[in-house]
Structure formats: structure tokens, C-alpha cells
Amino acid sequence: QQPVQSPQAVILREGEDAVINCSSSKALYSVHWYRQKHGEAPVFLMILLKGGEQKGHEKISASFNEKKQQSSLYLTASQLSYSGTYFCGTEGRTGRRALTFGSGTRLQVQP
Amino acid sequence: EAGVTQSPTHLIKTRGQQATLRCSPISGHTSVYWYQQALGLGLQFLLWYDEGEERNRGNFPPRFSGRQFPNYSSELNVNALELEDSALYLCASSLGAGQETQYFGPGTRLLVL
């Protein structure tokens, strides 16, 4: 079952923060976050494994609440380079490797 | 280090024809994944190969098939092409052996006329 991402689209000014949510109706083993710019391949951001951990990379971080089967991606002090479509990919059962992706959140950062 | 490479970048076929798409994983990666990204839609999992074997398959008809070669490169074959097969086909690779992070290639854009 496809995870649900929200919001579908968001427009920010440089320096503003954003949160993108990813919810699944099934138990999750891992959540993967990617950013895709128009006409380019998805770029890996981070992976969160079962265990409720939080990860961060510079001004982008994410959390994974396995009890709620939810993950959130936090973008702080957004930069123009953050623009793109963010996808969460979920893996429901270890060993199967088939990521089920949400429909994406389109993020546009304006000067 | 070279990333995942795919060929061709674009492919135009007509209904009923066959298409062959190729993928070379990152050096040292043994797992290869194929995804379909139709216009305006998210990525749909197609196939996973590891160590030459098909390990998992998405909800696609049997005319979507593939294989992985001893050098870990992979082919995706789509037989009896239909108009709705028009999409971006993305290949990803991972280290295998429990390393889940998948790195994507630039994709092959298939247009079926």
C-alpha cells in the first residue's frame, strides 16, 4: 500500500522551515527519503530503520515513529537548492527490498 | 566513483514492439532494482536482482522481465509494449548483504507510440 505524503506541495522563502510527512497503513521496517529535481534521478537523503531513530544531515533531518508508522522530514533554513520533489519510500518487511514510494511532495524555495 | 549508469537515455518504440533497457550498478554493488515512474506518478517497484537471481517482483505483468549478468549489470525487457508503458524507468543499486540504501541512475525515458 502506497504511503501517504503531506503536504502535496509547499512554497517557501529562503530561510524558512518545512516539514514533510509520510504515513503508512502497514508496519514499517524502514523509511527512505529521496529528493528528485526535474529531469534528474532521485538523490538519496537518508534512511531510517525500525527503532524510532532520528537522523540528520546539516539542515535536513528526519524522524521515524514506528508505532505510528510515520516519518517526518525536517528542512530548516531552506536554501534554493532544496527545491525539488521529495519522496518517501517505505519497506514493509525486512528482506523484501521493494520500496513503496509516496506520490511526492513538491517543494519550491523562492528567493 | 562512478554512479549507476543506464542506457539508452531515451527510447521510442511502437505498440507491440519489445524494449530492452540496460543498467550498470555502482562498482561493488551486487543488488539491482528497477522502478517505473509514469508521468505525474510516484515510483513503482518492478524487480529486484541480487547475485544473478530475481529476489522480488512488483505488481507488473509477466511481459516485464529482466536478468542480471555475472558482472552485476542488468537488463529490463518489456515485451508487447502498450501505450501505458511510456514512463521513466529507473535503475538503482545497493551493496546487497543487508545494505538497504538504494542509489538511482538517471533513468531511461521510454515512449511508446
Side-chain angles (χ1 to χ4, degrees):
Chain A
Q1 198 123 11
Q2 187 180 30
V4 176
Q5 284 187 237
S6 62
Q8 290 185 321
V10 59
I11 298 175
L12 299 173
R13 294 284 182 191
E14 263 189 300
E16 291 182 337
D17 302 340
V19 179
I20 299 171
N21 299 302
C22 175
S23 297
S24 175
S25 59
K26 62 179 183 181
L28 299 178
Y29 169 72
S30 65
V31 180
H32 306 228
W33 285 98
Y34 290 84
R35 176 172 61 215
Q36 185 178 30
K37 293 182 182 285
H38 184 70
E40 299 179 10
V43 173
F44 171 75
L45 293 175
M46 63 189 75
I47 179 175
L48 299 105
L49 302 177
K50 194 170 83 167
E53 64 179 292
Q54 182 155 350
K55 280 193 170 183
H57 176 66
E58 297 183 348
K59 296 175 182 175
I60 300 176
S61 63
S63 64
F64 177 23
N65 186 326
E66 62 181 289
K67 288 185 180 177
K68 292 186 177 180
Q69 289 130 250
Q70 289 178 352
S71 178
S72 295
L73 186 71
Y74 307 94
L75 305 162
T76 58
S78 59
Q79 306 168 12
L80 294 176
S81 61
Y82 286 6
S83 294
T85 301
Y86 289 77
F87 291 99
C88 69
T90 59
E91 184 182 4
R93 190 163 55 125
T94 182
R96 300 307 292 164
R97 304 282 187 90
L99 294 182
T100 305
F101 284 89
S103 55
T105 295
R106 187 169 294 183
L107 179 78
Q108 184 182 356
V109 181
Q110 296 177 340
Chain B
E1 180 183 277
V4 177
T5 59
Q6 292 185 244
S7 64
T9 53
H10 293 80
L11 191 57
I12 300 175
K13 295 284 186 178
T14 56
R15 281 179 60 189
Q17 285 188 315
Q18 179 196 39
T20 298
L21 289 64
R22 296 178 178 83
C23 171
S24 291
I26 292 171
S27 177
H29 286 193
T30 62
S31 280
V32 170
Y33 313 81
W34 288 95
Y35 291 86
Q36 181 195 66
Q37 187 175 30
L39 190 63
L41 299 178
L43 292 85
Q44 305 290 321
F45 170 75
L46 267 165
L47 290 158
W48 167 34
Y49 291 97
D50 183 62
E51 297 286 355
E53 300 283 335
E54 182 181 302
R55 302 294 186 182
N56 195 9
R57 182 182 182 84
N59 189 24
F60 281 84
R63 57 191 186 82
F64 286 84
S65 65
R67 55 180 172 166
Q68 187 178 33
F69 299 100
N71 66 354
Y72 303 113
S73 66
S74 176
E75 261 183 14
L76 174 69
N77 295 295
V78 187
N79 294 318
L81 284 166
E82 300 178 2
L83 297 178
E84 53 265 33
D85 295 335
S86 295
L88 179 68
Y89 289 84
L90 291 161
C91 170
S93 73
S94 73
L95 277 170
Q99 297 296 317
E100 299 90 349
T101 302
Q102 298 180 24
Y103 298 92
F104 283 85
T108 292
R109 191 163 294 279
L110 173 64
L111 178 61
V112 183
L113 302 174

